[in-house]
Amino acid sequence: MKTRIGIDSLAVAVPRRYLDITDLARARGVDPAKYTQGLGAREMAVADPGEDTVSLAATAARRAIDAAGLDKSELGLIVVGTETGVDHSKPVASFVHGLLDLPRAMRVYDTQHACYGGTAGLMTAVEWIASGAADGRSALVICSDIARYGIDTAGEPTQGAGAIAMIVAQNPALLELDIGISGTSSTHVHDFWRPLGHREAQVDGHYSVQCYLDAVADAYAGWKTAATERDVSAALARICYHVPFCKMAKKAHLHLGFDEASFETQVAPTLGLCARIGNVYTGSLYLGLAGLLDAQATDLARRRIGLFSYGSGCTSEFFSGTVANAAAERIAAARIADVLADRERIGVEEYERIMAMTAPADEPPQPGRFRFTGVEAHRRQYLRA
Ligand code: CAA
């Protein structure tokens, strides 16, 4: 019998503060419609230094494990996809492994290729299980990033931060992936990168949009060929794209030859969470998936959806999966509406003060969260609540 493998549980962690995007537009002397309609943004998550890539990852991971009701001893692999790690050697996954008291007998590492890193982790986990090497165990895959371009840059309204954690397992309750049916497209380009030692990304904005469009066309064509060869229908109920800003998903969909009406049905329902959090780099595709399932899992049960992951530089992959019958119940356990409701709106002055901070303020973590508290003897310190 065919082994069913995919995403069994998914949970989200975001910073506790956000900026309304119209406040940012006014402060920059820009017509708010440019940000809301031109880019499709509504709100932007603002991480303070205590809410770093590790603390967001650990918070999301704990929620994903709880949502699945998983015993930690069932995990054999943890992979963190990130492009905003905290150390040149020690992976974010190692910190998370320690903070969550995960089993010793595990593979623990990070994967990196800009925003594709999380998908690299997901594919590794799925193939690890499919190969039999997992021996019945599950994987924890986390996407965690802080997207920063800097004050008054063109990329500023497309910042954001957050983590999405997924349990990857056999007989998944959320999404069964079509193993081996995917299209990939990679080229060596300088569209977006972050040299060592820089907090903010370098980006050739308009060129990056073009690189993304070239990649999505190529990867989608590859996926369609693979689907046809295996007699899998290329009809997709929804498509989740990597979302650096919401309008990019629309550009991608139209570029593939779909029309505006198709965008409203197939893509708009995937953008709800992304518009309220901003770019989460590795996590943006999975934020779209989380928002989609939270809104429409019941209607989508047993239907195939497409997913497009894009990592600047660049590598990309179009893949697909079928929504599981239990998806509505399982995504409800992630309490995504509560995660969003538990945030505080701040003004531009406060956002700029936080952006200028280089060390965390002395404050305890909020209930259920982890927090970076500073560096002692060159070792990063965390508190859990
Ligand atoms: N009312 C309504 N719409 C308006 C408007 C107004 N008053 N003024 C402008 N607009 C529209 C423009 O027409 C444009 O829409 P279209 O693209 O559909 O034509 C949109 O608002 C944006 O305007 P500009 O192109 O003039 O904006 P910009 O040059 O200031 O910046 C950007 C846009 C280049 C995307 C910039 O935000 C940026 O550099 N972002 C970061 C890079 C990025 O996200 N790249 C995406 C691909 S790379 C990737 O996906 C990896 C990743 O995560 C980074």
Side-chain angles (χ1 to χ4, degrees):
M1 208 179 83
K2 188 182 151 227
T3 315
R4 298 170 58 242
I5 302 168
I7 304 170
D8 186 55
S9 161
L10 186 158
V12 174
V14 292
R16 67 189 161 108
R17 302 183 186 88
Y18 73 92
L19 188 60
D20 190 289
I21 210 74
T22 56
D23 291 346
L24 180 63
R26 288 197 186 97
R28 299 290 173 256
V30 170
D31 178 356
K34 174 174 176 183
Y35 292 174
T36 56
Q37 292 164 30
L39 297 174
R42 271 180 68 190
E43 295 163 359
M44 186 176 99
V46 179
D48 75 66
E51 299 169 305
D52 70 348
T53 303
V54 169
S55 58
L56 290 167
T59 301
R62 185 153 74 181
R63 290 175 182 164
I65 291 170
D66 289 350
L70 188 82
D71 189 310
K72 290 177 200 171
S73 65
E74 293 171 52
L75 287 170
L77 170 69
I78 165 170
V79 190
V80 176
T82 184
E83 54 185 300
T84 51
V86 297
D87 189 282
H88 287 312
S89 171
K90 190 171 168 64
V92 172
S94 173
F95 287 96
V96 174
H97 180 252
L99 288 170
L100 266 59
D101 295 321
L102 295 179
R104 202 175 168 118
M106 287 185 81
R107 287 185 181 154
V108 177
Y109 56 89
D110 287 1
T111 43
Q112 184 189 328
H113 190 144
C115 304
Y116 178 81
T119 302
L122 175 62
M123 294 304 163
T124 302
V126 167
E127 289 160 14
W128 172 69
I129 294 170
S131 73
D135 197 19
R137 291 172 298 168
S138 302
L140 173 60
V141 176
I142 310 169
C143 310
S144 185
D145 273 307
I146 317 279
R148 289 178 77 107
Y149 295 98
I151 304 285
D152 221 358
T153 60
E156 184 180 28
T158 70
Q159 297 176 129
I164 289 80
M166 298 176 267
I167 303 294
V168 181
Q170 286 193 30
N171 302 317
L174 283 178
L175 186 72
E176 178 190 349
L177 292 180
D178 297 322
I179 299 172
I181 303 180
S182 88
T184 46
S185 177
S186 306
T187 46
H188 173 47
V189 288
H190 273 92
D191 60 334
F192 168 106
W193 66 104
R194 189 167 62 87
L196 293 175
H198 288 231
R199 276 215 305 178
E200 277 93 21
Q202 306 285 314
V203 62
D204 189 342
H206 291 280
Y207 178 55
S208 73
V209 170
Q210 192 53 52
C211 291
Y212 180 124
L213 293 177
D214 292 345
V216 71
D218 214 18
Y220 177 64
W223 173 83
K224 270 218 300 208
T225 303
T228 309
E229 279 170 4
R230 296 190 183 210
D231 282 336
V232 163
S233 164
L236 298 170
R238 305 285 181 273
I239 303 179
C240 299
Y241 293 94
H242 167 59
V243 185
F245 53 92
C246 290
K247 182 76 163 290
M248 188 70 232
K250 186 175 195 171
K251 285 178 190 285
H253 198 62
L254 300 185
H255 189 68
L256 295 185
F258 295 102
D259 61 18
E260 290 272 348
S262 154
F263 168 78
E264 290 304 327
T265 314
Q266 281 183 286
V267 185
T270 72
L271 299 176
L273 271 186
C274 300
R276 298 196 57 192
I277 293 167
N279 196 353
V280 189
Y281 290 161
T282 49
S284 291
L285 167 62
Y286 303 98
L287 201 55
L289 175 65
L292 172 67
L293 293 179
D294 204 36
Q296 298 190 332
T298 306
D299 294 344
L300 292 174
R302 292 183 302 282
R303 298 184 73 188
R304 174 166 284 112
I305 63 171
L307 299 102
F308 175 67
S309 181
Y310 178 78
S312 285
C314 70
T315 194
S316 69
E317 184 158 356
F318 197 103
F319 57 107
S320 56
T322 304
V323 176
N325 285 327
E329 197 183 325
R330 180 53 60 83
I331 199 72
R335 307 173 70 93
I336 288 172
D338 292 347
V339 171
L340 281 197
D342 196 19
R343 302 184 305 163
E344 175 197 340
R345 177 175 169 177
I346 57 168
V348 174
E349 212 172 294
E350 175 69 350
Y351 150 72
E352 290 181 352
R353 188 188 70 77
I354 291 170
M355 287 287 279
M357 288 170 74
T358 51
D362 186 14
E363 53 184 88
Q366 290 179 298
R369 299 187 193 207
F370 293 85
R371 188 169 171 80
F372 169 55
T373 56
V375 177
E376 285 172 22
H378 302 287
R379 290 158 176 80
R380 295 178 78 86
Q381 306 296 314
Y382 290 88
L383 273 180
R384 63 185 110 186

